[in-house]
Amino acid sequence: MPVDVLVIGGGVSGLCAAVECASRGRSVILAEQSQHLGGRAYSFLHMETGDIVDNGQHLMLGCYHSTLRFLRTVGTIDQLSIQPSLDISFRSTVGRYRLRAPLLPSPLHVFGALLRLGSLSWRDRLSMLRIVPALLTANPRTDADLLTMTVDQWLTKHGQSLEAKNNVWNILSIGTMNERPERASAALFVNVLQTVFLGSRRDASIALPRTGLSRLFADGAASYLQEHGGSVAFRARAGNIVVTNGTVESVMLGQTRIEPRAVVSAVPYHAIGAMFAHGSRSALPLPERMDRFEAVPIVSIHLWYDRHFMEDEFTALLGSPIDWVFNKSTTAGRTSGRLMHLSLVISAAREESTQAKEAIVAMADRELRRCFPGASEAALRHSLVIKEKRATFSPSGDIAACRVQHATALRNFFIAGDWTDTGLPATIEGAAQSGYACAELADGYLGTASQGQE
Ligand SMILES: Cc1cc2nc3c(=O)[nH]c(=O)nc-3n(C[C@H](O)[C@H](O)[C@H](O)COP(=O)(O)OP(=O)(O)OC[C@H]3O[C@@H](n4cnc5c(N)ncnc54)[C@H](O)[C@@H]3O)c2cc1C
């Protein structure tokens, strides 16, 4: 019996597409070229410590509605810890402060959070409030100004001082877009800020996994698919897609030829073109400027110390090459006993991704000792550095023209992935939204195709 939907790629976008198609009663095959699901969000066992380690810390938000919907469906939502409302701690050598929303309705909670930022002068705090009316009136899809400006230019236009940029905006920009503010698109940043700050109070809350990423995203999804008549094919590289009369006719999964009624591609931008057979490639027009996608690395550093010197669950580091420190022991509910496991993140790590791992560990250890008074007595027991060279695409101003729609010139072929035209930077939520959108399109196509046969 022919399968209804073939989903190619087992990252978050593919998992969402496959689960949603299965929940609509469609038969699904999810094909993944590697031996694990999750794509760029996965975890594995660190043999030396017995801890589960993520390929990179993933920070999510209350406004990740599609992601939360997916986790609810596959039954792992309880493995995500969501703050009641926005609360971010910042730390430097001179002290700590918090961006914390007071108990006010949205969007007044944002005004309140900015006004309570004790580390900044009153003048800077009041100038930060100018961002709120700018957010209320901006349209990131159509404002010509926004579409051509960088984040840094936009912040300057709205009177943000160097202190306000360095202490708040740049951290949020790099943290959410994995790109320096001098390069990142103002339109994408404004869309992120509108989504986070102008929605419900909970939209701005930080959400952190309590478990490894594979357990959070992949395991529940694989079980869900099996329970709903779907299947997962591992080490199944899709290729040789043959197109006939504007429709995908067949796809090779390794050595096996299948004829799905609809196909959702959930592979990255650099993999989609190569999946088509020689004579069929031109049937799918992709933007000419696809080569403008630039990969941006993230370097993750896992460190295990013999004592617990960090109280917060996570903190941003100011004036340091390290952007964020996450206390994995606290998140897992282990605040004493065993080793303290910290996960450090360097975003937009073009330079660091070329450095020797030993040098990165030495730098990270130095930075922790500099910023955490209690670290001076601690001994570093284990370390692990993971360089993800293609973590995200650069959200630069001209990238909008390269992002593709989910529906394509091929009637039964749909494109998901964080790089499609979601209006968001490369994120879990962009991936999830694209997966749901493609599932809806594929389901709609199958419904129409069945009616045509009646
Ligand atoms: C270190 C790191 C940290 C990050 N931090 C955050 C964060 O804090 N918050 C956040 O929201 N996002 C974060 N991201 C980004 C987020 O992980 C990605 O945006 C998201 O996982 C992308 O999902 P995707 O499904 O679009 O693509 P992918 O995860 O890349 O999945 C594509 C899948 O397709 C498979 N594939 C490719 N070609 C074929 C083929 N021919 N046949 C079969 N399978 C194929 C690949 O093996 C892969 O599994 C981070 C990413 C990294 C790497």
Side-chain angles (χ1 to χ4, degrees):
M1 202 179 110
V3 66
D4 288 332
V5 188
L6 168 67
V7 178
I8 307 172
V12 170
S13 62
L15 291 171
C16 289
V19 162
E20 178 60 10
C21 286
S23 83
R24 290 169 181 242
R26 301 294 179 187
S27 60
V28 180
I29 296 178
L30 174 61
E32 165 56 45
Q33 66 179 3
S34 72
Q35 51 190 342
H36 69 86
L37 294 174
R40 275 170 280 160
Y42 70 96
S43 48
F44 56 90
L45 176 68
H46 181 248
M47 299 299 267
E48 287 170 58
T49 58
D51 282 339
I52 296 294
V53 165
D54 294 334
N55 68 317
Q57 176 67 45
H58 278 62
L59 185 146
M60 289 168 262
L61 287 156
C63 61
Y64 276 32
H65 298 296
S66 296
T67 310
L68 299 181
R69 173 183 168 190
F70 167 75
L71 296 179
R72 268 192 293 272
T73 305
V74 302
T76 52
I77 189 80
D78 60 335
Q79 298 300 318
L80 195 69
S81 151
I82 309 180
Q83 296 175 332
S85 60
L86 172 73
D87 187 354
I88 304 179
S89 120
F90 298 81
R91 182 181 271 269
S92 71
T93 46
V94 291
R96 303 160 66 182
Y97 65 96
R98 286 165 91 167
L99 182 66
R100 193 156 38 141
L103 278 172
L104 292 171
S106 172
L108 294 179
H109 67 310
V110 183
F111 284 91
L114 297 176
L115 281 174
R116 283 160 56 154
L117 264 176
S119 60
L120 291 178
S121 67
W122 272 105
R123 194 187 159 137
D124 282 331
R125 280 186 251 177
L126 289 171
S127 83
M128 286 178 77
L129 292 184
R130 285 197 222 167
I131 290 294
V132 180
L135 287 182
L136 287 168
T137 52
N139 184 338
R141 285 269 181 193
T142 55
D143 285 1
D145 246 20
L146 277 181
L147 290 165
T148 51
M149 267 190 235
T150 64
V151 169
D152 190 61
Q153 288 166 338
W154 183 76
L155 291 171
T156 304
K157 180 182 168 189
H158 291 286
Q160 300 306 295
S161 66
L162 196 60
E163 283 69 32
K165 286 181 187 177
N166 286 341
N167 286 279
V168 181
W169 299 123
N170 291 357
I171 295 161
L172 297 184
S173 167
I174 296 171
T176 53
M177 308 216 287
N178 192 30
E179 185 54 289
R180 297 206 309 268
E182 305 81 38
R183 285 192 181 210
S185 153
L188 277 177
F189 187 52
V190 166
N191 192 23
V192 170
L193 291 183
Q194 286 180 334
T195 313
V196 176
F197 288 154
L198 303 185
S200 71
R201 277 173 55 81
R202 196 160 182 259
D203 281 351
S205 302
I206 303 286
L208 291 178
R210 286 181 198 282
T211 184
L213 292 172
S214 293
R215 180 151 175 237
L216 185 71
F217 291 120
D219 297 352
S223 308
Y224 184 93
L225 284 176
Q226 267 142 26
E227 284 157 18
H228 291 77
S231 62
V232 181
F234 290 101
R235 294 198 191 88
R237 188 185 174 85
N240 251 310
I241 296 179
V242 173
V243 176
T244 313
N245 296 328
T247 309
V248 169
E249 184 188 281
S250 64
V251 181
M252 293 298 291
L253 291 186
Q255 302 301 314
T256 311
R257 181 175 184 276
I258 63 165
E259 295 182 5
R261 295 173 66 206
V263 179
V264 174
S265 162
V267 305
Y269 59 89
H270 49 82
I272 190 165
M275 289 199 298
F276 283 79
H278 186 60
S280 293
R281 170 69 194 81
S282 58
L284 179 72
L286 291 168
E288 276 172 29
R289 304 198 302 180
M290 285 274 284
D291 57 354
R292 296 256 182 114
F293 274 107
E294 182 200 331
V296 185
I298 292 178
V299 170
S300 305
I301 308 142
H302 293 270
L303 301 176
W304 285 264
Y305 287 91
D306 68 347
R307 66 194 67 192
H308 294 252
F309 58 76
M310 177 176 174
E311 291 152 23
D312 292 318
E313 208 168 354
F314 69 100
T315 186
L317 284 195
L318 299 175
S320 167
I322 305 295
D323 292 309
W324 297 91
V325 184
F326 294 85
N327 188 338
K328 303 299 283 183
S329 299
T330 306
T331 317
R334 294 193 316 258
T335 48
S336 61
R338 290 184 70 200
L339 301 173
M340 179 179 67
H341 174 193
L342 300 182
S343 169
L344 286 64
V345 179
I346 308 178
S347 305
R350 291 181 175 84
E351 199 186 314
E352 292 81 356
S353 65
T354 63
Q355 292 171 354
K357 291 187 175 178
E358 295 73 19
I360 295 173
V361 169
M363 178 275 287
D365 181 52
R366 241 183 353 258
E367 286 301 305
L368 292 180
R369 291 178 195 281
R370 203 167 66 84
C371 297
F372 291 85
S376 53
E377 303 291 310
L380 178 61
R381 295 289 188 223
H382 304 278
S383 64
L384 174 71
V385 175
I386 303 172
K387 297 176 180 177
E388 285 280 6
K389 299 221 170 174
R390 279 173 162 171
T392 61
F393 62 82
S394 173
S396 56
D398 56 359
I399 210 64
C402 311
R403 301 184 78 175
V404 298
Q405 302 299 312
H406 306 304
T408 70
L410 307 177
R411 282 187 290 280
N412 63 345
F413 186 84
F414 309 97
I415 307 181
D418 62 355
W419 60 281
T420 56
D421 188 16
T422 62
L424 295 173
T427 50
I428 290 290
E429 176 63 9
Q433 283 182 14
S434 73
Y436 277 107
C438 285
E440 180 150 5
L441 287 167
D443 188 49
Y445 165 79
L446 291 172
T448 317
S450 305
Q451 277 169 14
Q453 284 166 4
E454 280 166 12

